[in-house]
Structure formats: structure tokens, C-alpha cells
Amino acid sequence: MIAAIGYYYLANRYAGSILLERKLMAPEAIDEGLAFNFDTILSPVRA
């Protein structure tokens, strides 16, 4: 899951930027993505 989440974001950053009309490699977008990734990975561990 960790590898998939990290890979998906980077591999699809150009298409995602077009579809979402947002620069996914902007510092604030990367911070939001990291926060999402941490929550996604840690939520099953915390449960």
C-alpha cells in the first residue's frame, strides 16, 4: 500500500494536474498529499 500510494501520485502527476486543474507538484499540494498518505497508511495501524 505504501509503495502504491507514493507511486500513483508521482506517476500520474501530469494527468492529475490536468484533470484536477491544479499543480500537483506545488509545495502546498505535496504537503496535502503527504498528509493524506500518512493518514491512509496509519489509519489501519491505529485501529
Side-chain angles (χ1 to χ4, degrees):
M1 181 169 65
I2 295 168
I5 290 172
Y7 175 78
Y8 181 82
Y9 189 87
L10 292 176
N12 295 299
R13 64 187 178 265
Y14 299 114
S17 291
I18 293 169
L19 292 172
L20 299 172
E21 298 178 352
R22 181 175 182 211
K23 292 185 178 187
L24 294 179
M25 293 308 290
E28 60 276 357
I30 292 173
D31 290 343
E32 290 174 16
L34 284 173
F36 173 80
N37 291 351
F38 286 132
D39 289 341
T40 302
I41 293 164
L42 292 177
S43 62
V45 175
R46 292 180 188 141

